[in-house]
Amino acid sequence: MTQADTGDATGTADVTETPDVTGTAVVAGTGDVTGTVGTTVAARIRRAVRVGLRRPEPWKRGPVLTALALLLGLSMLLHARIPNRIGNLGSLVETFLPWLGLFVPVLLAGALWRRSASAVLALLLPVTVWLNLFGGLLGDKSHPGGDLTVASHNVGAGNPDPAGTARDLAASGADVLALEELTPQDRGTYEKGLARTYPHHTVLGTVGLWSRLPLSDSRPVDIRTDVGPLADTKPAEDRLADNRALRTTVATDRGPLAVYVAHLGSARVNPRAGFWTESRDRNALALAEAVAAEPNERVVLLGDLNGTMDDRAFDGLTSRLESVQDTAGGGFGFTWPARFPVARIDQILVRGVRPESSRVLPATGSDHLPVAAAISW
């Protein structure tokens, strides 16, 4: 009785309690560990995905900056293809084409801030194009000497000190001096102030030429300033008073030199018409035709052309004449406005002679800066 009870109690304890406790402990412990590990791995994966979405790889960052850099480069590379049908947009871009390079450091700063490798790489396009277009202007290509020095200045109709401007120009050292935007009230001041230095001169309308050397065959050049049905009805003296271009011959010791002086129509930017250049473009075409018909192989064109030589409107001139600033200058040679020049619209173009140097002269009372160049045969 006692033995049986003891065996039963022992058997019950051995069979019932030991397996239950051991099995429960093993199974429960394994399930908890497996669940914890799975939860940790899943959390890490989700965190990595979120971080990846928030911080893309360097080649995927800054897509807008990359697109802007490519657009900038293509605008400079294909500037001649930008249409003029809407507001003369093509000519407007070409007028300020060098200034597009200022967007490069702005975009570069943005690309570095965003750590965008693709945007930095895309900026190689505008940098390469800009250097190809204007890199040659960064150095000084001038040479000492020259057989003849020519100069040009839009003296400004509202110039408050024409006498001082005349003194400055007389001291410039130019052998041949072209003036534009002469007014009837100031013409005498310039003639008096320049007479001692330049014994020869001709004035036709609002443009004139002063020279140390003899002049001959001076005549107005029709650049189609007046158009329309009433243009031909104007008396000759009225047309001459408004004349804005002339052609004359300078007698040099190397033979005759044909000199053109011109002041083309203005260009304006306004909300309604955009970049308005109608009269200027018409004048440029007529002037190009006159230069093309010039029999003298040596030609100098001086004047305020109201446009840069990057503008397609001057293709007729630049295909026959070369810019002294591009060939023998240093820098861009900006001339307007005088207080903070942003564009070179006062030009010296030549054919049949060799430019030696080109420079911008100090400011006068005009809103334009004078320009000068030395040329050789």
Side-chain angles (χ1 to χ4, degrees):
M1 184 72 178
T2 304
Q3 187 177 1
D5 290 342
T6 305
D8 289 342
T10 305
T12 302
D14 293 340
V15 173
T16 303
E17 294 180 13
T18 304
D20 288 348
V21 172
T22 305
T24 301
V26 172
V27 172
T30 303
D32 290 345
V33 171
T34 304
T36 303
V37 171
T39 302
T40 303
V41 172
R44 289 178 178 176
I45 292 174
R46 287 196 297 270
R47 189 181 305 111
V49 170
R50 287 196 299 269
V51 171
L53 291 175
R54 289 198 304 266
R55 300 181 64 183
E57 293 298 321
W59 292 105
K60 296 180 180 179
R61 296 174 190 162
V64 174
L65 291 170
T66 302
L68 289 175
L70 293 175
L71 179 61
L72 176 62
L74 291 174
S75 298
M76 291 190 288
L77 179 64
L78 304 175
H79 64 86
R81 302 289 184 89
I82 300 175
N84 260 343
R85 291 187 297 271
I86 302 177
N88 256 8
L89 179 61
S91 286
L92 179 61
V93 169
E94 290 171 331
T95 297
F96 300 102
L97 195 58
W99 292 97
L100 293 184
L102 291 180
F103 288 105
V104 170
V106 175
L107 292 175
L108 179 60
L112 295 177
W113 179 69
R114 291 283 292 131
R115 298 182 181 178
S116 173
S118 59
V120 173
L121 182 62
L123 281 170
L124 290 177
L125 177 61
V127 169
T128 301
V129 175
W130 192 92
L131 289 175
N132 183 64
L133 291 172
F134 305 111
L137 296 175
L138 299 180
D140 187 358
K141 300 183 292 297
S142 63
H143 303 91
D147 297 321
L148 192 73
T149 299
V150 297
S152 177
H153 190 28
N154 180 327
V155 293
N159 191 326
D161 185 19
T165 299
R167 287 194 300 270
D168 293 340
L169 294 174
S172 67
D175 300 301
V176 175
L177 172 67
L179 301 186
E180 304 87 46
E181 210 167 291
L182 292 167
T183 62
Q185 59 268 30
D186 291 336
R187 173 177 171 173
T189 301
Y190 287 108
E191 289 177 328
K192 180 180 179 180
L194 298 172
R196 179 174 299 179
T197 305
Y198 302 102
H200 311 280
H201 83 281
T202 179
V203 176
L204 296 174
T206 63
V207 293
L209 190 76
W210 277 256
S211 175
R212 300 178 191 270
L213 305 172
L215 304 176
S216 63
D217 194 22
S218 300
R219 62 178 185 270
V221 176
D222 182 10
I223 57 171
R224 300 175 196 148
T225 300
D226 288 324
V227 294
L230 299 179
D232 294 335
T233 65
K234 293 178 64 175
E237 58 272 18
D238 290 345
R239 291 199 298 270
L240 182 59
D242 297 329
N243 179 69
R244 293 166 68 101
L246 66 81
R247 185 262 184 217
T248 190
T249 300
V250 178
T252 76
D253 57 0
R254 300 296 186 91
L257 175 68
V259 177
Y260 287 77
V261 182
H263 182 196
L264 305 190
S266 298
R268 296 284 186 270
V269 178
N270 62 72
R272 179 172 298 180
F275 189 44
W276 185 83
T277 60
E278 180 180 347
S279 62
R280 184 207 68 180
D281 294 351
R282 183 176 65 250
N283 297 162
L285 180 60
L287 183 59
E289 293 172 355
V291 171
E294 171 58 50
N296 196 326
E297 62 182 26
R298 293 172 176 168
V299 178
V300 173
L301 168 60
L302 306 163
D304 173 9
L305 303 189
N306 268 311
T308 69
M309 294 301 96
D310 295 312
D311 193 328
R312 67 195 69 181
F314 299 98
D315 287 350
L317 288 171
T318 55
S319 63
R320 298 179 176 90
L321 305 172
E322 63 177 327
S323 165
V324 296
Q325 184 65 24
D326 291 346
T327 305
F332 293 94
F334 295 148
T335 63
W336 179 89
R339 290 187 177 182
F340 188 81
V342 298
R344 184 182 177 89
I345 64 175
D346 300 272
Q347 308 292 346
I348 301 178
L349 308 177
V350 299
R351 181 184 78 193
V353 296
R354 184 175 66 256
E356 299 291 358
S357 62
S358 174
R359 65 187 189 277
V360 177
L361 300 178
T364 68
S366 172
D367 59 340
H368 291 244
L369 296 177
V371 292
I375 59 175
S376 297
W377 312 125

